[in-house]
Amino acid sequence: MGRKLFALIFLTFKEGVRDRALVGVGLFSLAMMGGSVMVVNFFMRELHKVSVDINLSAIAFAGLLLTFFVSLNLMSKDMDKHTIYCVLSKPFSRTQYIWGKYLGIMFLIFIAFCILTLCSTATIFFIKSQYEVYFKEFSWLEFYKAIYAQFLMFFILNAFIVFYSTITTSSFITLLFSISTYIAGQTIEEVVLFLQSSQAMEMVMSKTIGSIIGIVQYVLPNLSVFDLKVRSAHALPISFEYLSAITFYCLIYSSVLLISSSLIFNRRELK
Amino acid sequence: MKQTISLSCFLIISMVSCFFVQQNLSEKREELLKASYMAYTLPSKITGVLALEFKGIVSDFLFLKTTTFFGDKFIKQESVGEKQADYAYESIKIVTDLDPWFWDAYLFADMLLTWDFGQIDKANELLLKAKKNRTWDFKPAYYLGFNHFYFLKDNKKGSRFLMEASKIPGAPSYLTSLAARLSMYENQYQPAIVFLNEILKTTQNKGLKNEYEKRLKTLIIMDKLEKNVHAYHAAFNVFPETLQDLVDKGIIESIPDDPYGGQFVLLKNKRVYTTSKMIYKRK
Amino acid sequence: MIDISIKNISKIYVSDFKCKKKTAVQNLSLEIEPGEIFGIIGRNGAGKSTTLKMIMGFITPDSGQIFISGKIPADPDSRCKIGYLPENPYFYDNLTARELLTFSCQASGLDQKTSNQRIELLLKQVGLFAEQNQKLRTYSKGMTQRAGICFALVHDPDIVILDEPMSGLDPMGRKMVIDLILDLKKRGKTVLFCSHILNDVERICDRVAIMDQANLKGIYTKEQILENHGMEELFLKIVQQNELQAK
């Protein structure tokens, strides 16, 4: 059973890791990190902030590209082109298929994160050695905490990719849905905060809109809780309680998505 | 074979013409940009939402855009006015909404708004925001103190801010004595020289650096001239009528030139100032 | 023990938007016994592939039951001993044939030594041994078909289900597939396949089911086919009869 699932995880990983889009993603993020070495020259004092900003953004952006191109491809193309038959003609249950695929994708993203973390560490180390004076307010620990939180975000986002590919029949719709979910997830917090502010309270808001937003707030993932980039750029300490809170949030939310995907997928016809 | 050769010829011709076309385009583009520079800002309610999880890097970008805009103006010595002041204020407000801990941005806005535009209130408003967010940092309170001393002539508030700054861990030990000294040196250029020296040590932008250096140079000259005025008073028991009196009595050889192109004058309250008001004679 | 037993299954496809209904399989019952080669023939859209996909569990029948060695298709264990070749197989682009086959063996729980032996043997049999480390993206239609046959057979299944195994193959390839199927029969395996190519079906099948317009028109043994002057005669007769009835 374990070995079987590992075979599927590894199959997914191998198929993804050889995707040619990966080269583009890699080059892009390396260029961005390399660019940070030059760009910091234009700033006055807070070079640590700028270099951390750029490096963390490069990692986040690479992760997004990976998710929306490579892992989406791994899920949707499987159904579109019927490669799924070659997995499901083996003794895999639909639930095992969902989990195996998801873990394979997450393994791919994990490896990508490891490489990107190494590269950004090297970049920041280099900048730091050049401008030691401006790196007094910098902390490696906070930097890695932000990368960890970023990685957690991709657990949820990829669970959404899996979820949407089980309910739709076209990869384009999956792409559209997951990008909208990402944007909504990143902005929902601000929208809710705005609506709760006094400014909005003055506006007459109907009860229905209020309750709809309340529901949406619970259904949509709050992805901005995983964004610690700005805080880590200023080496503002993040407590371990916060980190464990977002870890649990991410695990529970992804599990809910994957379990519902399995339930839906068990009923799906693969014509 | 023949086709390959002719195609290669066309390629070379089009590549060469592409070069010229691009040059022409960049000239035209520059004219267009000059006519209407994108000194616009989007409210942070919108920018913040659009920036998604990339608020840090967007704040870097917007800040860079603002500093290059003003750095460019200073290098080209173009005139800046009310409109540009509003732009600086609005854009830094957005930058610091995206990243409320971005000290570079606060300091840039402070320098620009106080020295170049005389909008001390707006500068202080941003510094107060910095003080609220950068709780571990003595610098916001330190600069607030300076603004109150130098620009607002409010010594009481100024020393309160400086004392507040000196209590924050990591503040330089001289702050307490500086607070005391500054209140004594009321109405003098000394504090400004001290502050500017601090800022110059850490400024990299070429245009801004030149500007600060020039300002420092002017302040040092005016400080020296004021000391000379006091020496005159000590020697003759009366204050000179004009700066020329100092030359006439042989205290100084000549009235130095104002780096900003104005002329140093002795005001009625016996303080030295310059007709350029430390703002470059704009074209 | 019956290997595959199908009892009164029906399937109606409902197209997405217009709610148009199309009967794919109607009240089909079949029993396939161990060690036999069973062919399903029929025109395009007769319901052959749908039947096979229902056996594999890709599609659930609207009514009726399917048992594979006593297990229902929803049970993954029912596929432990099945090898399946889809119609127009398409595999992961970026994998090599070798990796694909290794996955097939691992998923079926073969140990490494046996799987290596099996992979090499089969690759040589279908003539892909030289190309085993090329990515599947570079394969031609015929090569993909061969890789698909390997994929279905590599874990030495007891029941082999082949959907159009001859499509896209040259005459040599078709002979190779026929040899493989006959070899499976020799080793006591059950083969269920569907095809358009009547000659091939006639040559190798023990029993043939003829389907037309979602219905089973009859199951014929080798002897019955001979009595009816061959497969082609028989098939045309049945199809024409069916059309007359429809009128």
Side-chain angles (χ1 to χ4, degrees):
Chain A
M1 162 64 212
R3 190 162 164 251
K4 227 170 61 185
L5 201 60
F6 269 117
L8 178 55
I9 293 171
F10 203 60
L11 183 87
T12 310
F13 171 73
K14 242 197 238 170
E15 170 71 8
V17 91
R18 290 188 194 153
D19 197 312
R20 274 170 290 187
L22 223 58
V23 182
V25 175
L27 283 181
F28 167 80
S29 41
L30 284 187
M32 208 162 151
M33 288 174 185
S36 70
V37 177
M38 324 245 190
V39 170
V40 289
N41 283 319
F42 298 121
F43 289 85
M44 294 183 255
R45 292 160 211 90
E46 290 184 295
L47 304 191
H48 63 94
K49 169 207 150 42
V50 177
S51 49
V52 170
D53 270 345
I54 297 177
N55 276 279
L56 289 179
S57 300
I59 292 176
F61 206 75
L64 287 179
L65 289 177
L66 266 181
T67 304
F68 290 133
F69 290 101
V70 179
S71 65
L72 187 122
N73 226 351
L74 283 175
M75 280 312 294
S76 296
K77 223 172 83 184
D78 222 15
M79 320 248 178
D80 276 357
K81 299 202 165 173
H82 291 165
T83 42
I84 186 171
Y85 287 161
C86 90
V87 177
L88 285 185
S89 65
K90 298 282 145 193
F92 287 107
S93 70
R94 299 277 177 101
T95 311
Q96 281 169 341
Y97 170 81
I98 292 286
W99 284 89
K101 273 285 190 181
Y102 177 70
L103 291 177
I105 288 169
M106 284 321 294
F107 183 53
L108 178 70
I109 290 183
F110 174 72
I111 297 291
F113 257 72
C114 288
I115 295 168
L116 289 173
T117 305
L118 268 180
C119 293
S120 57
T121 304
T123 314
I124 291 189
F125 195 81
F126 176 73
I127 300 175
K128 192 168 179 282
S129 66
Q130 298 283 303
Y131 309 95
E132 192 67 53
V133 200
Y134 302 114
F135 271 73
K136 279 174 195 142
E137 280 184 30
F138 173 77
S139 146
W140 285 109
L141 181 65
E142 299 305 324
F143 178 63
Y144 292 128
K145 276 186 201 167
I147 295 180
Y148 170 72
Q150 189 74 54
F151 182 57
L152 290 181
M153 203 247 331
F154 286 106
F155 269 96
I156 293 190
L157 205 56
N158 282 286
F160 265 107
I161 298 258
V162 172
F163 179 72
Y164 287 138
S165 7
T166 56
I167 59 171
T168 65
T169 43
S170 111
S171 55
F172 179 71
I173 293 178
T174 310
L175 180 70
L176 213 65
F177 277 14
S178 40
I179 287 183
S180 323
T181 308
Y182 168 72
I183 292 173
Q186 285 291 351
T187 49
I188 183 76
E189 193 178 70
E190 263 170 271
V191 173
V192 169
L193 282 179
F194 171 72
L195 290 176
Q196 284 167 350
S197 70
S198 51
Q199 207 180 340
M201 284 298 185
E202 284 168 19
M203 296 190 289
V204 190
M205 200 167 60
S206 75
K207 240 184 183 168
T208 27
I209 292 179
S211 50
I212 286 172
I213 285 163
I215 294 166
V216 165
Q217 195 189 352
Y218 263 98
V219 173
L220 274 180
N222 184 357
L223 296 181
S224 35
V225 299
F226 302 107
D227 176 20
L228 302 179
K229 288 190 272 298
V230 175
R231 298 190 74 95
S232 113
H234 291 283
L236 297 177
I238 306 285
S239 69
F240 282 97
E241 286 81 16
Y242 183 81
L243 285 184
S244 58
I246 58 171
T247 308
F248 281 123
Y249 177 63
C250 145
L251 291 180
I252 295 296
Y253 203 100
S254 326
S255 310
V256 169
L257 279 174
L258 287 177
I259 292 167
S260 16
S261 314
S262 315
L263 281 175
I264 295 166
F265 198 54
N266 273 329
R267 275 166 189 74
R268 176 148 171 190
E269 311 256 311
L270 299 165
K271 275 185 230 176
Chain B
M1 189 59 208
K2 212 174 157 190
Q3 208 186 359
T4 318
I5 292 172
S6 56
L7 272 179
S8 321
C9 287
F10 277 124
L11 180 69
I12 292 167
I13 291 168
S14 47
M15 268 161 71
V16 171
S17 40
C18 182
F19 174 75
F20 287 111
V21 168
Q22 230 163 28
Q23 262 194 337
N24 183 38
L25 174 69
S26 56
E27 272 171 34
K28 293 278 177 296
R29 179 79 188 150
E30 213 162 290
E31 280 169 33
L32 189 79
L33 285 184
K34 230 180 222 164
S36 61
Y37 184 76
M38 353 169 229
Y40 63 89
T41 51
L42 273 179
S44 48
K45 281 259 147 41
I46 297 170
T47 321
V49 170
L50 283 183
L52 296 173
E53 59 174 315
F54 299 101
K55 295 191 175 62
I57 197 166
V58 171
S59 75
D60 295 343
F61 170 75
L62 288 180
F63 176 59
L64 195 61
K65 196 179 132 187
T66 316
T67 49
T68 41
F69 175 78
F70 284 101
D72 204 43
K73 291 258 172 205
F74 288 138
I75 286 176
K76 289 187 184 154
Q77 303 181 351
E78 286 173 48
S79 68
V80 282
E82 197 90 329
K83 234 165 117 187
Q84 278 80 10
D86 287 344
Y87 168 61
Y89 170 71
E90 287 299 332
S91 116
I92 296 302
K93 219 167 86 176
I94 292 159
V95 167
T96 54
D97 275 344
L98 291 173
D99 179 356
W101 303 284
F102 199 174
W103 175 241
D104 264 11
Y106 288 116
L107 185 56
F108 169 78
D110 176 51
M111 297 302 288
L112 201 68
L113 289 173
T114 51
W115 291 98
D116 289 279
F117 299 117
Q119 302 192 345
I120 319 297
D121 289 342
K122 281 185 176 171
N124 283 351
E125 185 196 317
L126 285 172
L127 281 177
L128 279 171
K129 185 173 165 190
K131 191 163 87 77
K132 202 180 109 203
N133 288 302
R134 296 179 63 91
T135 46
W136 67 92
D137 193 0
F138 74 92
K139 290 194 286 291
Y142 176 74
Y143 282 89
L144 270 169
F146 173 73
N147 284 355
H148 280 89
F149 271 121
Y150 187 77
F151 293 110
L152 298 176
K153 318 280 184 231
D154 185 345
N155 291 1
K156 217 167 129 197
K157 256 192 172 165
S159 30
R160 214 171 63 211
F161 277 122
L162 273 197
M163 289 310 283
E164 206 178 315
S166 68
K167 279 177 197 134
I168 293 168
S173 48
Y174 63 77
L175 270 194
T176 342
S177 58
L178 185 69
R181 230 169 55 226
L182 282 181
S183 47
M184 265 171 60
Y185 282 138
E186 178 184 352
N187 291 337
Q188 285 198 13
Y189 290 115
Q190 196 60 37
I193 292 168
V194 174
F195 275 83
L196 264 181
N197 256 325
E198 273 308 299
I199 291 162
L200 254 175
K201 272 186 220 155
T202 50
T203 301
Q204 306 229 327
N205 184 306
K206 224 174 159 190
L208 291 176
K209 200 169 174 157
N210 284 342
E211 182 69 15
Y212 294 161
E213 269 168 356
K214 193 176 281 170
R215 190 169 290 151
L216 180 66
K217 215 163 124 193
T218 317
L219 283 170
I220 289 173
I221 295 170
M222 292 198 293
D223 185 55
K224 220 175 186 173
L225 283 175
E226 273 192 4
K227 284 204 179 99
N228 291 332
V229 171
H230 284 283
Y232 184 100
H233 180 256
F236 304 104
N237 227 6
V238 281
F239 277 107
E241 287 300 311
T242 59
L243 287 178
Q244 189 59 40
D245 290 350
L246 296 176
V247 184
D248 293 343
K249 296 283 181 209
I251 292 180
I252 50 172
E253 274 178 26
S254 63
I255 301 172
D257 288 331
D258 178 6
Y260 284 92
Q263 274 188 329
F264 291 114
V265 288
L266 189 60
L267 302 179
K268 279 200 182 106
N269 61 1
K270 301 304 162 203
R271 302 223 41 202
V272 178
Y273 204 55
T274 163
T275 51
S276 69
K277 296 183 177 155
M278 271 192 284
I279 296 167
Y280 210 84
K281 277 262 164 72
R282 317 287 182 190
K283 285 165 197 165
Chain C
M1 185 77 184
I2 293 159
D3 262 355
I4 301 173
S5 111
I6 299 173
K7 286 177 193 156
N8 308 319
I9 55 166
S10 299
K11 180 76 199 173
I12 297 170
Y13 286 139
V14 181
S15 66
D16 293 340
F17 295 108
K18 293 174 190 161
C19 284
K20 234 180 177 178
K21 285 180 181 173
K22 183 185 170 285
T23 312
V25 175
Q26 199 169 33
N27 208 17
L28 176 81
S29 296
L30 273 181
E31 284 191 341
I32 296 159
E33 281 166 40
E36 77 171 331
I37 301 180
F38 193 98
I40 302 177
I41 59 170
R43 291 187 284 178
N44 293 333
K48 307 181 298 280
S49 278
T50 307
T51 311
L52 297 189
K53 282 176 189 168
M54 284 194 280
I55 297 172
M56 292 308 296
F58 300 153
I59 301 173
T60 28
D62 295 334
S63 63
Q65 286 169 312
I66 299 172
F67 293 100
I68 302 136
S69 311
K71 287 174 184 137
I72 55 164
D75 180 1
D77 287 342
S78 71
R79 291 187 291 276
C80 269
K81 283 282 156 195
I82 292 187
Y84 174 70
L85 169 73
E87 188 182 7
N88 302 323
Y90 189 87
F91 298 110
Y92 296 106
D93 273 343
N94 294 324
L95 300 182
T96 67
R98 179 113 203 170
E99 285 162 342
L100 187 75
L101 297 179
T102 312
F103 166 72
S104 180
C105 290
Q106 281 174 344
S108 303
L110 255 65
D111 65 77
Q112 193 147 13
K113 206 178 145 202
T114 0
S115 58
N116 276 342
Q117 279 171 356
R118 289 282 308 165
I119 290 169
E120 255 166 57
L121 177 77
L122 268 163
L123 281 170
K124 276 177 187 157
Q125 267 179 322
V126 300
L128 278 180
F129 192 73
E131 291 90 2
Q132 60 169 327
N133 288 325
Q134 273 180 27
K135 285 187 183 165
L136 291 168
R137 193 190 316 130
T138 63
Y139 277 27
S140 68
K141 172 90 179 66
M143 284 160 84
T144 313
Q145 187 78 13
R146 285 163 202 250
I149 291 165
C150 280
F151 185 80
L153 300 181
V154 71
H155 54 293
D156 200 16
D158 292 336
I159 304 168
V160 181
I161 298 176
L162 307 169
D163 200 343
E164 307 283 356
M166 320 288 189
S167 79
L169 291 178
D170 55 17
M172 288 303 289
R174 271 158 62 185
K175 186 183 175 306
M176 179 269 299
V177 172
I178 290 170
D179 289 345
L180 272 173
I181 293 176
L182 291 174
D183 180 54
L184 287 169
K185 184 185 163 60
K186 234 183 260 167
R187 296 196 288 129
K189 313 284 185 190
T190 313
V191 181
L192 167 62
F193 76 99
C194 64
S195 180
H196 295 116
I197 302 166
L198 302 177
N199 285 345
D200 296 331
V201 178
E202 190 177 357
R203 259 165 72 192
I204 53 175
C205 285
D206 296 323
R207 286 198 298 159
V208 179
I210 299 178
M211 284 182 81
D212 199 44
Q213 291 175 353
N215 284 298
L216 179 66
K217 291 293 164 194
I219 300 173
Y220 301 88
T221 60
K222 232 173 184 159
E223 292 75 35
Q224 285 169 319
I225 296 170
L226 274 177
E227 280 167 24
N228 282 289
H229 318 289
M231 195 71 236
E232 209 162 319
E233 279 295 288
L234 179 66
F235 182 68
L236 286 174
K237 201 173 91 190
I238 289 170
V239 170
Q240 276 157 5
Q241 254 178 17
N242 200 27
E243 266 169 13
L244 276 175
Q245 272 173 8
K247 277 173 191 169

